[in-house]
Amino acid sequence: MKPKQIFISILAVLFVFPLMGTFAQQAANSGSIEVIMTFDYPGAGNSTLPQKINDRGDVVGVFVDSNKVTRGFVRFSDGSFSDPIVDPNDTVGFTEGRGINNSGIVCGDYASSDGTNHGFFLSGGTFTEYDVPGAVSNTVLSINDAGDFTGSLSYGSGIFQGYVSVGGTITSFSVPGAPLTLAYAINNSNQLVVGYYIDSSGIVHGYFRDANGALHFPIDPSGSTATILFGDNNRNWVVGRYADSSGATHGLFFVPPNKFFTFDYPGSTFTSLNGINAQGIICGRYNDASGIAHGFLARVRGTPPTKEAGTEMKAYASPSLATPLNPSPSAWGGAIPAR
């Protein structure tokens, strides 16, 4: 599908889904999210999964071809695409582009034949491999303009922790009792880290970590059966997605500590908002009726109306330097981070 210019103003959709008359009254003077355009990585049958967007409008992401081979890509602000991003050590057809900063440095991960994941940075055509010391599997999920980054790691104990690297110091953390915690984005001010975790019952929830290291969780809009927070900006605007009991997946705009707004791509039952830049430009995707994913760009107009959730839970996880817990071989298995 060729990129096509569309300009659709999607007015506020509250979680209780009010009647159209009421909806129109509530939305008339409110902010909105507007779709600017859709795009696909070139090639028949490719699924396009944008991940992050920098302030220049460059988008990093993942495409999956008809043979299920996974590659990274950059869609530049002029509409052109990079060649497929393939880490030199990728031997199984799995390389993901996960983050990009204003200097154009890309971060991501790749899989090796032993089933483990490893991080990388790509700058000026040069790959730099990255593994947290002592970790047997790790991903790099975002990078900010200072070169600070986030991700998730395993030391082989069966617990997957989130981590942040700020000024070269790695701090790992977990939501208490969670077997898996992933840190998906860090903004330039280092005030806000967002991501998701899986609780002991297997339910997926969002969380955020503030500048003091306090973890705020669970972050769930009303009606959610699974919430993922993917991206943030320096205005502390957060984007992600959540699933409901009907099987539909909705794009999510979140303002900490507990205000939400739903966005659905017209005609689709699956919408994901993955990255947001300083100008409020969002990259995301929707699925068509055949299940193929297509990328889109959208913009925030004003401040979309939000609905408060119920009382949130909060906890403090004492930051500590990442040290090996049980450095035995371990695979991500079903814990591959969401896209």
Side-chain angles (χ1 to χ4, degrees), residues 24-323:
Q25 292 172 7
Q26 289 177 331
N29 298 313
S30 64
S32 63
I33 292 178
E34 301 170 342
V35 176
I36 303 168
M37 65 174 297
T38 63
F39 63 90
D40 290 288
Y41 192 83
N46 287 336
S47 274
T48 303
L49 293 74
Q51 297 295 294
K52 298 292 191 305
I53 183 169
N54 66 16
D55 293 343
R56 301 187 306 190
D58 303 323
V59 174
V60 70
V62 176
F63 73 92
V64 183
D65 69 20
S66 57
N67 294 317
K68 307 303 181 185
V69 174
T70 298
R71 299 298 187 216
F73 73 85
V74 175
R75 180 191 182 275
F76 300 104
S77 58
D78 64 2
S80 64
F81 288 89
S82 70
D83 291 334
I85 296 173
V86 184
D87 189 279
N89 294 313
D90 173 4
T91 59
V92 297
F94 188 91
T95 299
E96 300 181 303
R98 288 294 200 155
I100 187 169
N101 66 12
N102 288 336
S103 298
I105 299 173
V106 170
C107 67
D109 62 271
Y110 69 93
S112 55
S113 57
D114 63 359
T116 59
N117 277 50
H118 307 273
F120 71 82
F121 298 96
L122 174 61
S123 178
T126 300
F127 283 88
T128 301
E129 308 303 316
Y130 180 77
D131 284 308
V132 174
V136 298
S137 195
N138 76 272
T139 61
V140 183
L141 297 172
S142 75
I143 182 169
N144 70 12
D145 290 339
D148 302 323
F149 55 92
T150 68
S152 186
L153 59 84
S154 170
Y155 293 120
S157 65
I159 303 297
F160 293 87
Q161 298 175 281
Y163 72 87
V164 296
S165 175
V166 176
T169 299
I170 296 171
T171 302
S172 59
F173 59 90
S174 292
V175 171
L180 183 146
T181 304
L182 302 107
Y184 264 82
I186 184 171
N187 60 11
N188 279 336
S189 64
N190 292 328
Q191 291 182 340
L192 187 67
V193 173
V194 300
Y196 77 91
Y197 68 98
I198 298 178
D199 68 20
S200 58
S201 299
I203 306 300
V204 177
H205 309 274
Y207 76 89
F208 69 90
R209 182 178 186 268
D210 65 28
N212 296 318
L215 296 175
H216 303 252
F217 66 93
I219 304 300
D220 292 310
S222 177
S224 173
T225 59
T227 303
I228 297 174
L229 302 181
F230 281 118
D232 60 16
N233 67 11
N234 280 347
R235 301 170 78 172
N236 288 346
W237 289 357
V238 181
V239 292
R241 68 175 183 251
Y242 77 98
D244 64 26
S245 58
S246 73
T249 298
H250 310 277
L252 184 63
F253 181 89
F254 168 60
V255 180
N258 64 344
K259 294 186 177 181
F260 302 91
F261 166 76
T262 294
F263 172 83
D264 292 308
Y265 188 89
S268 177
T269 59
F270 182 99
T271 304
S272 181
L273 305 182
N274 290 67
I276 184 168
N277 68 12
Q279 291 80 36
I281 306 299
I282 296 169
C283 67
R285 76 178 192 269
Y286 73 94
N287 286 1
D288 64 23
S290 65
I292 299 296
H294 307 280
F296 66 80
L297 297 179
R299 64 165 58 92
V300 178
R301 290 290 196 188
T303 302
T306 52
K307 180 177 177 65
E308 288 194 9
T311 303
E312 62 167 343
M313 295 167 57
K314 299 179 181 179
Y316 182 76
S318 298
S320 60
L321 292 179
T323 54

